[in-house]
Amino acid sequence: ISWLTLSHMKLSTFKAIITGHDMIHHIKICGEFGDPVMNPQLKDMIDYVMTTTNITMMINTNGGLRNTSWYKSLADQYGRRISIIFGIDGLDHETNWKYREGVDFVKAYNNMLAFHRNGGKSNWQFILFEWNVHQIEEAKKQADDIGIPMIFIVDFDFSESLDKMEIDQLKERLNKLGVEYRKF
């Protein structure tokens, strides 16, 4: 995209936005053109919010950056005041890679587990595509086994080959599992 200049928000800019704004109660950090965990000052931003305000935070990430000790530390320090939605769209490297190109599935999954198992408030977001829709039931079972809430994101037009009956069957499968799903 020629008009887009990729850069990280600076800590000073972030502080200027937050400071003195008593109406801010929650901050959601989601990368539209990248992953927020890429920002080298993200931890400083989190520390600033968590130590100087009562604001809660939510971060969306593919989980493929940093390491398990970074996520464990975040969970240990801030527990339930910070939540992370991990976008992992498959149950194996090959499936996840089709949308999350460049993301090491095992690393992302282990980072999610490290945050979740150390008291972090987390969700597993699974965007459905025609190449991973066969994994719905197993993904939900795996999420239940580790005790993490599962969110499916569905683009009901993800394949021109889906007719109304197939869309209804997909909705029925998701409803039967009792999972949250949102239209993309």
Side-chain angles (χ1 to χ4, degrees), residues 9-21 24 27 41 44-49 51-53 55:
M9 180 183 284
K10 293 183 171 108
L11 178 60
S12 58
T13 303
F14 183 79
K15 284 182 176 181
I17 293 168
I18 302 303
T19 305
H21 290 84
I24 299 174
I27 296 172
Q41 293 187 306
D44 297 326
M45 294 173 186
I46 294 168
D47 290 339
Y48 178 74
V49 168
T51 59
T52 64
T53 74
I55 297 171

Side-chain angles (χ1 to χ4, degrees), residues 150-162:
M150 175 68 97
I151 302 167
F152 287 101
I153 306 294
V154 183
D155 177 359
F156 289 112
D157 300 321
F158 69 78
S159 171
E160 291 181 11
S161 65
L162 284 182

